[in-house]
Amino acid sequence: MNTKTHSPARDLVLAALFLALAFVLPMITGHVPQIGNMLCPMHFPVLLAGFVLGGPWGLALGFLAPLLRSVLFGMPPLYPIAIAMAFELATYGAVAGWMYKKVRHTLPMMYAALVTAMVAGRLVWGAVRFVLAGLSGSAFPFSAFLSGALLTAIPGIIAQLILIPLILTALQKANFID
């Protein structure tokens, strides 16, 4: 069975699956907030959506997931967390999808696309948090950027670097993606 056919129905079903995962994974890890926040659970389905469905779907899912989750479940708080996350995750999905489309689908190129998406997303998150802080009359110092984008997210970063390529390789072996 050829599962790589990109029909609109297939893409819509997969987008719904990734969006559902973006809603559910934080609920699973959220029972221990300190650990749940460190694992960055919403990042996984958005990155996978970018790789599997492409940049436009990754961008849309990344932008909508934190905003919808905030409105529906109250977490993350809409301002400033969900707004900054929306731009961050949109960048993850768009860059992962765009990069993966442009490179050969080898393990080193998966890592190149993944790391590029992760760095770009974190930089966009920092820029949006800086702008939102300025709009509210507060500060967003570089130390807060380092803490939020890197230091507290180290377990999630490591998990993404291990699990995303493993999942993508398994999907390739199953002929689900190229």
Side-chain angles (χ1 to χ4, degrees), residues 18 25 29 38-45 47-49 51-52 100 107 110-111 114-115 118 154-172 177:
F18 290 127
L25 288 178
T29 63
M38 292 169 40
L39 291 177
C40 309
M42 289 183 77
H43 297 194
F44 288 90
L47 284 164
L48 287 170
F51 281 110
V52 173
Y100 196 59
L107 189 60
M110 274 184 215
Y111 273 107
L114 178 60
V115 169
M118 291 167 67
I154 287 175
I157 291 168
I158 292 169
Q160 289 167 20
L161 290 172
I162 293 170
L163 294 175
I164 299 289
L166 284 175
I167 293 168
L168 291 174
T169 301
L171 291 174
Q172 281 179 335
I177 61 172

Side-chain angles (χ1 to χ4, degrees), residues 7 15 65 68 70 80-81 83 95 99 127 135 140 161 165:
S7 72
L68 286 174
S70 178
I81 310 274
I83 292 171
V95 172
M99 287 284 298
L135 291 174
F140 187 70
L161 290 172

Side-chain angles (χ1 to χ4, degrees), residues 9-58:
R10 174 193 180 267
D11 290 350
L12 191 59
V13 168
L14 287 174
L17 171 72
F18 290 127
L19 185 61
L21 285 172
F23 286 171
V24 172
L25 288 178
M27 290 177 185
I28 294 169
T29 63
H31 294 292
V32 183
Q34 297 82 3
I35 294 172
N37 292 337
M38 292 169 40
L39 291 177
C40 309
M42 289 183 77
H43 297 194
F44 288 90
V46 171
L47 284 164
L48 287 170
F51 281 110
V52 173
L53 297 171
W57 278 106

